[in-house]
Amino acid sequence: MNFSAAIPTFVITLREGVEAALVVGIVLACLKKAGQKGLNSWVYAGVGVGIIVSAIVGILFSLAIPIISAANPKYTTVVEPLLEGGFSVIAIAMLSWMLVWMTRQARFMKAQVEGTISAALQDKNAGWGVFTLILIAVVREGFETVLFIAANFQQGLFPAFGAIAGVITAAAIGVMLFQWGVKINIRLFFKTMGVLLLLIVAGLVVAALGHFDVAFATLSQMDRSSQGLCFYYERFTKNPSCILGARVWNTSKILPDDQFPGIVFNALFGYTENLFIVQAIAYVVFLLTIGGIYFQSLGGKVSKKIENSPQLPLKTRPD
């Protein structure tokens, strides 16, 4: 049983869930300060509906993949890895964007949420404004996890279990921060989770290329007219890569990726016992580009402003 498949979704959902929990906590604090605690039910409704909508989207994705594959049974073995690779690319783009964007916008989160709530309270339909804000925050975070699970749908229900555990843990952290007044270094938390997320997404880059390689290799073997798709078709038996070039390493006898601890490294860091040159280059390029942007957003003036500011939980938890 591959429980390690739950680790990446747990990390992603935990990080995104804590972001949503911070928004919820700030909104509840703002409503209490404004004497509008009667609108708290709209906040909880937004959380509940957001989780339901995310779950429905996840179910639709999980149903769509087999349906699309079954539309042409002959090419099922080609369509499935293509869909996995496609979902992986979308998940990589969204998770990378959110990682960098949220890091840059974190210092403005409290002010932005408070401004939105203040504007909503001026409207006669304030409840719907609060509900919409929370709904968007929850669905935005949930959608990223859904895409990640869809990109790894062959791993069964374990990624979903990781997502559920992440949501529960994020909710617990939110309660500790805003209800119990527990002091947590939220900046250190996001930095640590950000590094883990960066490595997970880098691993997804390797996996996505692997999915496309399987799809093209299968198609070339099924249809001889498609043999030209494989750069290494003539040497396929010796070098099992269609579009990924030469093999960098084969560590199947030393550290197999389907046994502990290789299976954990695979889940967290994208380790694979068979790594090819295109995957290795893409992995390094991703870490240098997205990783460089991410760490740059943590340093310099932005970092100093954050470090010199009061801790977010102390500013936002109810009195």
Side-chain angles (χ1 to χ4, degrees):
M1 299 178 71
N2 186 13
F3 287 103
S4 63
I7 299 176
T9 48
F10 173 78
V11 172
I12 292 172
T13 310
L14 176 59
R15 186 186 187 280
E16 309 302 337
V18 169
E19 288 177 3
L22 291 178
V23 173
V24 171
I26 293 170
V27 170
L28 290 173
C30 289
L31 293 177
K32 180 179 180 180
K33 184 177 179 180
Q36 297 288 340
K37 293 182 66 175
L39 295 176
N40 284 2
S41 59
W42 290 91
V43 175
Y44 302 133
V47 172
V49 173
I51 292 175
I52 292 172
V53 170
S54 298
I56 291 175
V57 172
I59 293 172
L60 291 177
F61 269 122
S62 65
L63 292 177
I65 294 174
I67 291 174
I68 294 174
S69 301
N72 196 332
K74 178 182 176 181
Y75 291 98
T76 296
T77 53
V78 176
V79 173
E80 286 190 356
L82 274 178
L83 287 174
E84 287 184 84
F87 283 130
S88 295
V89 170
I90 298 174
I92 290 166
M94 287 196 64
L95 288 169
S96 299
W97 179 76
M98 284 302 299
L99 176 64
V100 174
W101 183 82
M102 279 304 300
T103 301
R104 290 177 172 176
Q105 297 297 317
R107 66 190 188 278
F108 304 124
M109 179 189 292
K110 185 172 183 289
Q112 289 175 338
V113 174
E114 288 179 340
T116 303
I117 289 298
S118 297
L121 292 177
Q122 303 301 317
D123 192 280
K124 61 180 180 180
N125 294 318
W128 284 109
V130 171
F131 173 83
T132 303
L133 172 64
I134 298 299
L135 176 64
I136 292 174
V138 174
V139 171
R140 183 184 64 194
E141 314 301 349
F143 187 65
E144 294 165 10
T145 306
V146 165
L147 278 176
F148 186 87
I149 293 175
N152 297 276
F153 79 100
Q154 285 189 331
Q155 296 181 1
L157 293 176
F158 292 108
F161 291 151
I164 294 172
V167 169
I168 294 173
T169 306
I173 290 175
V175 171
M176 288 192 295
L177 290 176
F178 294 99
Q179 295 297 321
W180 298 347
V182 176
K183 296 179 181 180
I184 295 176
N185 190 330
I186 203 68
R187 289 183 294 276
L188 179 60
F189 169 83
F190 277 117
K191 287 180 182 179
T192 304
M193 299 303 291
V195 172
L196 280 176
L197 181 58
L198 181 67
L199 293 173
I200 288 172
V201 179
L204 194 57
V205 171
V206 174
L209 289 170
H211 292 318
F212 288 128
D213 186 65
V214 170
F216 284 117
T218 304
L219 181 61
S220 67
Q221 291 173 338
M222 293 173 58
D223 185 358
R224 298 192 64 83
S225 63
S226 302
Q227 289 181 8
L229 293 172
C230 288
F231 304 152
Y232 279 74
Y233 185 80
E234 296 299 328
R235 296 190 296 161
F236 187 77
T237 55
K238 294 182 179 179
N239 185 69
S241 164
C242 178
I243 61 174
L244 301 180
R247 182 156 48 188
V248 175
W249 69 50
N250 179 0
T251 55
S252 57
K253 295 182 179 179
I254 303 173
L255 189 64
D257 56 19
D258 59 349
Q259 298 177 20
F260 183 84
I263 195 170
V264 177
F265 294 152
N266 174 269
L268 281 177
F269 311 123
Y271 163 78
T272 175
E273 61 188 32
N274 283 291
L275 183 71
F276 298 91
I277 188 66
V278 174
Q279 291 173 308
I281 293 174
Y283 188 89
V284 173
V285 169
F286 177 86
L287 288 180
L288 289 177
T289 53
I290 303 300
I293 296 172
Y294 171 67
F295 284 110
Q296 190 176 37
S297 68
L298 291 176
K301 295 180 180 180
V302 173
S303 179
K304 290 179 182 178
K305 287 181 180 179
I306 294 176
E307 293 299 331
N308 292 332
S309 64
Q311 290 226 1
L312 181 60
L314 300 180
K315 290 280 288 181
T316 56
R317 73 170 186 266
D319 295 330

